[in-house]
Amino acid sequence: MQLASNISFDDTSNAFEAKSDKALKKANFLFSVVNNPIMSTLSTGSVRLGLALRLPIKGIIKHTVFEHFCGGENIEDSRKTIKELGDYNIGTILDYSVEGEDDEQSFDKTRDEIVRTIEEAAKTERIPFSVFKVTGLADSPLLIKIQSGKVLTEEEKNAFERVRQRVDVICKKAFELSVPILIDAEETWLQEPIDKLAYEMMKKYNQSSCIVFNTFQMYRTDTLEGLKKAFHYAAMDNYYLGAKLVRGAYMEKERERAEEMGYESPIQPTKEASDDNFNKALAFCIDNQQRVSVVCGSHNEYSNYYLALLMEKHNMKNDDPRVWFAQLYGMSDNISFNLAKAGYNVAKYVPYGPVKSVMPYLLRRASENTSVAGQSSRELSLIRRELKRRKSLS
């Protein structure tokens, strides 16, 4: 079966329409490095060493990898990126990617910055969502202790109440300004208290529309069942379920910990099993569209195509507000721009923050692109195809 809109993710003229020749050549260089494991390891190692030695490398980083994958050092800097994406009908999800210190002052500062992203989103249709990680608002060991079922001290109980209040401040602001808010998923050993907070916020703020979204990592063996349970809770308590679906971001860490601690890995045994799980979750969400809104956070071409097929099968309009496609800024433009051109709701996750503070995010990006089979090779082949096409026209 083919889509009536006949989307092609191979159309590089659409995919890179927003990029100048100079920007495309820079992208070619970056992905050439990332695609080579040895070069990637050497480059990331050099950056880590340079930062540790406080060498003057900020300018080099800012005008290469940072510029490609990030919107700017703050919200104001990011407005140029927001406009550029908006000109092609692609929304921006401002992702404050600073990994702060584990102290109350830092947690409060992160809360206030997330509130600012919501206020910015309320001013423009070009920012359809805001997003946050609970570990930006909470001490990870505290979340781990809660999940383990250990008894909390009075001090720890008070600390977690402050976490709940920070989450509530963010979700309440999102509700008041009608800006949907995405709660990112994290490692399995601290995810349960995050899920409970997410559903508590949904029950409070999703009574009349979908404001709060939880994230489901479909490379986990238990997540499809977890999604169905979340739907059951929403139906029982009569609120809307917001579901952001991703494959997952902690595969190697999850498997290593499971092996070290002697428990069964929570991760699907194969990529094919993860893909199947993800696509079943998409079908479940669309089958239950009356109560579920879904954000498909995927760089997998088939999954995005499959979601478009599901929408067509259910006679849903391309721009149905209950369905969004999302990719990371600087990656998979062939998916984002071609879907947007066909009239689907599309948004890019756009990280921002001071260069040095965002480096942990950027280094993970480089590592993931190198380790995920075919991802950087696919990016590189599309970029080179577009460069060749442009050269033939000149």
Side-chain angles (χ1 to χ4, degrees):
M1 179 181 177
Q2 275 198 321
L3 283 169
S5 55
N6 202 26
I7 295 168
S8 170
F9 293 139
D10 291 323
D11 190 337
T12 60
S13 62
N14 281 342
F16 302 112
E17 188 178 357
K19 276 189 166 41
S20 65
D21 289 353
K22 182 181 177 182
L24 202 59
K25 287 173 182 175
K26 188 180 287 186
N28 181 56
F29 168 75
L30 287 172
F31 279 103
S32 294
V33 172
V34 169
N35 195 47
N36 184 313
I38 296 173
M39 286 295 293
S40 182
T41 301
L42 286 172
S43 300
T44 54
S46 298
V47 168
R48 284 191 175 98
L49 180 62
L51 291 171
L53 296 175
R54 299 186 177 181
L55 297 178
I57 60 173
K58 176 183 172 181
I60 297 171
I61 295 169
K62 186 169 183 177
H63 295 293
T64 52
V65 64
F66 182 88
E67 184 178 78
H68 185 83
F69 290 109
C70 300
E73 293 201 68
N74 50 50
I75 293 174
E76 291 71 26
D77 286 352
S78 303
R79 286 179 183 147
K80 181 173 178 284
T81 300
I82 294 165
K83 182 185 183 304
E84 287 173 353
L85 290 172
D87 287 344
Y88 293 91
N89 296 317
I90 295 174
T92 290
I93 303 171
L94 285 172
D95 184 9
Y96 183 55
S97 295
V98 173
E99 300 187 1
E101 301 297 323
D102 289 337
D103 60 70
E104 297 296 303
Q105 185 179 356
S106 174
F107 298 147
D108 288 344
K109 182 181 177 184
T110 298
R111 173 203 61 203
D112 295 343
E113 185 64 24
I114 302 306
V115 167
R116 278 192 283 275
T117 68
I118 296 169
E119 291 170 342
E120 186 73 15
K123 299 175 188 175
T124 173
E125 291 182 355
R126 289 175 168 172
I127 308 177
F129 297 90
S130 286
V131 63
F132 71 97
K133 291 178 73 170
V134 172
T135 50
L137 310 169
D139 188 39
S140 295
L142 175 61
L143 297 176
I144 293 168
K145 186 171 182 179
I146 292 169
Q147 180 155 325
S148 71
K150 294 178 182 176
V151 177
L152 301 184
T153 65
E154 283 304 310
E155 186 179 349
E156 288 169 334
K157 289 177 183 176
N158 292 334
F160 187 64
E161 183 54 35
R162 289 192 295 273
V163 174
R164 177 182 279 107
Q165 288 171 5
R166 291 184 193 107
V167 172
D168 190 61
V169 164
I170 290 169
C171 294
K172 183 180 181 183
K173 179 61 71 172
F175 173 76
E176 290 171 348
L177 297 182
S178 299
V179 174
I181 185 86
L182 308 170
I183 302 177
D184 275 347
E186 310 203 39
E187 294 92 340
T188 53
W189 51 89
L190 49 75
Q191 183 62 40
E192 285 178 18
I194 294 171
D195 287 341
K196 287 178 181 176
L197 283 170
Y199 301 133
E200 182 183 330
M201 296 300 121
M202 281 190 203
K203 187 175 180 180
K204 193 170 182 179
Y205 297 114
N206 285 13
Q207 292 292 328
S208 57
S209 65
C210 205
I211 294 294
V212 180
F213 285 67
N214 198 20
T215 300
F216 297 84
Q217 299 191 103
M218 303 312 302
Y219 70 175
R220 286 179 53 172
T221 54
D222 61 350
T223 305
L224 185 59
E225 189 59 34
L227 174 65
K228 292 176 180 178
K229 285 181 180 177
F231 174 77
H232 174 73
Y233 300 147
M236 290 289 288
D237 289 320
N238 198 31
Y239 61 81
Y240 292 89
L241 174 65
K244 187 185 86 170
L245 305 182
V246 299
R247 274 169 174 74
Y250 308 101
M251 182 172 69
E252 291 175 6
K253 190 191 291 188
E254 291 280 1
R255 285 179 173 160
E256 285 171 8
R257 187 176 189 269
E259 188 174 345
E260 284 173 12
M261 300 187 69
Y263 60 85
E264 188 175 349
S265 172
I267 306 302
Q268 295 284 356
T270 64
K271 181 182 182 300
E272 290 73 24
S274 292
D275 291 344
D276 183 59
N277 218 33
F278 189 95
N279 295 333
K280 283 178 179 175
L282 287 176
F284 180 82
C285 290
I286 297 302
D287 284 344
N288 294 284
Q289 63 191 267
Q290 293 83 0
R291 190 174 294 277
V292 182
S293 291
V294 63
V295 175
C296 175
S298 175
H299 292 199
N300 181 287
E301 292 178 10
Y302 179 76
S303 290
N304 284 285
Y305 190 83
Y306 181 61
L307 177 54
L309 280 174
L310 289 170
M311 292 175 69
E312 192 169 278
K313 177 185 172 185
H314 284 261
N315 296 314
M316 299 172 75
K317 293 181 179 179
N318 288 9
D319 63 348
D320 190 297
R322 293 168 293 185
V323 181
W324 281 80
F325 298 78
Q327 290 79 41
L328 295 169
Y329 183 62
M331 294 174 62
S332 299
D333 285 346
N334 63 312
I335 295 174
S336 308
F337 280 79
N338 282 303
L339 283 170
K341 189 100 172 181
Y344 292 92
N345 297 320
V346 180
K348 287 281 201 183
Y349 257 64
V350 178
Y352 76 94
V355 174
K356 188 175 180 180
S357 301
V358 175
M359 279 313 302
Y361 168 85
L362 292 173
L363 291 170
R364 280 200 307 275
R365 231 5 14 95
S367 175
E368 286 166 14
N369 273 286
T370 304
S371 63
V372 176
Q375 179 65 52
S376 56
S377 297
R378 175 65 169 155
E379 297 279 353
L380 194 56
S381 67
L382 290 166
I383 289 166
R384 289 178 175 172
R385 190 191 308 166
E386 176 60 11
L387 284 169
K388 186 176 180 180
R389 186 191 73 83
R390 291 184 185 186
K391 188 175 181 180
S392 69
L393 296 175
S394 59

